[in-house]
Amino acid sequence: MTRRVAILISGSGSNMVKLVESMTGDHPARPCVVLANSADAKGLERARERGVPTEVVDHRPFKGDRAAFEAALQSTLMAYQPDLICLAGFMRVLTEGFVSRWRGRMLNIHPSLLPKYRGLHTHARALDAGETEHGCTVHEVTPELDDGPILGQARVPVLTGDTPETLAARVLEEEHRLYPAMLRQFVLRDTPSVQTG
Ligand code: GRF
């Protein structure tokens, strides 16, 4: 059975594009919707160009009422009947209620080698700490921020003269490889019948 994947974004959506482009041919999943929490998210247009339906659930009118925002998120998503959610640069913290509902069915990519550097500004923090390597992690989402079972990581060297921007660009290239690979592996693990035909 082909799995339906909802991808949640807030920004440029470069990871989303890589996920969408990976879900072709014998891939056991297909994108069903790309949802952003702002109509300004540049990734929306990139999703539309690739024939993926898009939705916006703007968090701002909810004025900090996370439960109400997530209720709107949930009902918008359910119209597309997703089996899985991929967070791809989605910059809203999700509450335990929403996360529990999707437990075991929601993945995230984080730009650090978790458990190091949960939260924001990971590249600057890695540089400040004098790390010699850095990277990214794909993990299942649990209520704790940037926590949950790790599905895979990719490492990059920190080079002399790196700035947060140069390091971020090097990590992003790895994100683009890692996330599609981990999604495919996750879906195949979840639906072994797909693997054996
Ligand atoms: C990525 O680095 C992701 O790991 C982080 O935000 C960035 C999103 O980039 N959480 P994009 O929107 O996928 O281009």
Side-chain angles (χ1 to χ4, degrees):
M1 190 183 73
T2 303
R3 296 292 160 144
R4 298 170 63 80
V5 179
I7 306 172
L8 273 52
I9 64 169
S10 295
S12 68
S14 68
N15 278 290
M16 174 277 295
V17 166
K18 295 296 176 183
L19 290 173
V20 165
E21 290 178 346
S22 75
M23 286 186 265
T24 58
D26 70 351
H27 197 290
R30 291 290 183 274
C32 62
V33 64
V34 168
L35 184 149
N37 62 304
S38 164
D40 299 335
K42 293 198 172 57
L44 289 169
E45 184 56 31
R46 301 173 84 179
R48 283 193 284 269
E49 283 166 9
R50 287 163 176 81
V52 182
T54 60
E55 293 282 354
V56 175
V57 180
D58 193 330
H59 65 278
R60 285 166 293 199
F62 295 96
K63 299 186 193 305
D65 183 345
R66 289 184 192 272
F69 167 65
E70 290 174 358
L73 196 58
Q74 177 73 13
S75 72
T76 303
L77 284 173
M78 288 322 288
Y80 296 89
Q81 302 190 311
D83 299 300
L84 267 181
I85 295 177
C86 285
L87 304 179
F90 187 65
M91 301 302 285
R92 304 305 301 167
V93 174
L94 296 165
T95 69
E96 182 162 4
F98 187 86
V99 172
S100 301
R101 189 174 271 182
W102 288 95
R103 189 153 194 150
R105 298 186 295 144
M106 181 154 55
L107 309 185
N108 183 41
I109 188 152
H110 183 73
S112 78
L113 295 171
L114 290 174
K116 287 185 172 181
Y117 310 117
R118 296 184 168 106
L120 298 174
H121 311 302
T122 57
H123 310 299
R125 287 158 63 203
L127 287 174
D128 287 348
E131 298 284 1
T132 56
E133 66 171 9
H134 187 44
C136 52
T137 303
V138 173
H139 64 97
E140 287 183 43
V141 178
T142 53
E144 193 76 21
L145 183 69
D146 299 327
D147 200 31
I150 290 176
L151 301 175
Q153 294 185 311
R155 292 165 191 275
V156 301
V158 176
L159 303 179
T160 310
D162 259 339
T163 63
E165 291 72 29
T166 60
L167 185 53
R170 195 173 308 121
V171 171
L172 191 62
E173 273 186 43
E174 292 305 317
E175 293 183 41
H176 292 165
R177 276 190 276 275
L178 183 69
Y179 209 176
M182 293 304 103
L183 171 63
R184 186 183 174 99
Q185 185 179 297
F186 186 81
V187 178
L188 286 172
R189 195 192 69 189
D190 192 36
T191 52
S193 58
V194 174
Q195 208 167 8
T196 56

